[in-house]
Amino acid sequence: MEYNEGESANVVGWKLNHEAALIQHNRHSATSGILLESVFSFGLEAIRTTAILNGGAVIAVFAFLGALYGKDGSAIELARELLPAAFTFAVGALLAGVASGFAYFAQFLYSGAHDDVKLTWEHPYCDNPPSQDRRLRWGIFWHVLCVCAVLASYGCIILGLIGAWAALKG
């Protein structure tokens, strides 16, 4: 913004305040975008990892069970012992899908909370209305559910591996 000699102190003050507001508005937009993108990408990778691990384990166990089909009685007994592990892996894969739904809700609410910010021309230049607090609280709720579902999915991997190992060992 240009400043001319002879402008009143009020005009110069207004211009300085306007520039400060524009800087704050741009900073708000840039940092929020970067933070939301990084949180989303890390969460997505965690969900993908657990979905691939559990889904691959389910396929491997069912392929092994298919190879045992039609064998003698001990093979059928082994197949029965492996079924709980296969079920555990399937539950883990389902939890990964549920976690992605929870992540969608959290991201939707976080984005809405970001959009609720009122950009003003007076200090502090960004006003947080009550609707933003409500959206943030619900976003955190869905976020926590997503993290719990991902952790439970990883737990299913561990339990399924222990169950498969016990069935093959015994």
Side-chain angles (χ1 to χ4, degrees):
M1 189 170 287
E2 293 183 23
Y3 299 96
N4 300 321
E5 278 190 48
E7 289 183 333
S8 71
N10 288 341
V11 172
V12 172
W14 179 87
K15 286 181 178 180
L16 289 172
N17 188 51
H18 183 76
E19 285 180 10
L22 288 175
I23 291 169
Q24 184 63 27
H25 295 170
N26 291 336
R27 185 179 301 143
H28 170 74
S29 296
T31 56
S32 295
I34 291 169
L35 289 173
L36 287 174
E37 183 179 328
S38 67
V39 167
F40 185 71
S41 66
F42 279 117
L44 189 59
E45 287 304 315
I47 292 168
R48 279 184 189 154
T49 301
T50 188
I52 289 170
L53 289 173
N54 277 303
V58 168
I59 292 169
V61 170
F62 280 126
F64 185 71
L65 291 175
L68 291 177
Y69 183 74
K71 303 286 183 186
D72 62 359
S74 63
I76 291 175
E77 186 59 36
L78 176 60
R80 283 190 186 129
E81 291 177 14
L82 279 173
L83 278 176
F87 179 74
T88 303
F89 289 132
V91 168
L94 178 67
L95 284 170
V98 168
S100 86
F102 291 163
Y104 171 79
F105 289 134
Q107 196 66 24
F108 176 77
L109 290 163
Y110 287 149
S111 177
H114 179 311
D115 292 342
D116 280 350
V117 171
K118 302 287 187 234
L119 302 177
T120 65
W121 298 108
E122 300 297 323
H123 191 271
Y125 310 116
C126 294
D127 185 28
N128 301 327
S131 62
Q132 183 192 34
D133 293 339
R134 186 175 59 251
R135 286 184 191 218
L136 283 175
R137 279 195 304 272
W138 278 105
I140 291 169
F141 170 77
W142 288 107
H143 188 133
V144 168
L145 283 180
C146 177
V147 169
C148 290
V150 169
L151 291 175
S153 183
Y154 280 123
C156 287
I157 293 170
I158 293 169
L159 290 175
L161 288 174
I162 290 170
W165 177 75
L168 293 173
K169 181 181 158 196

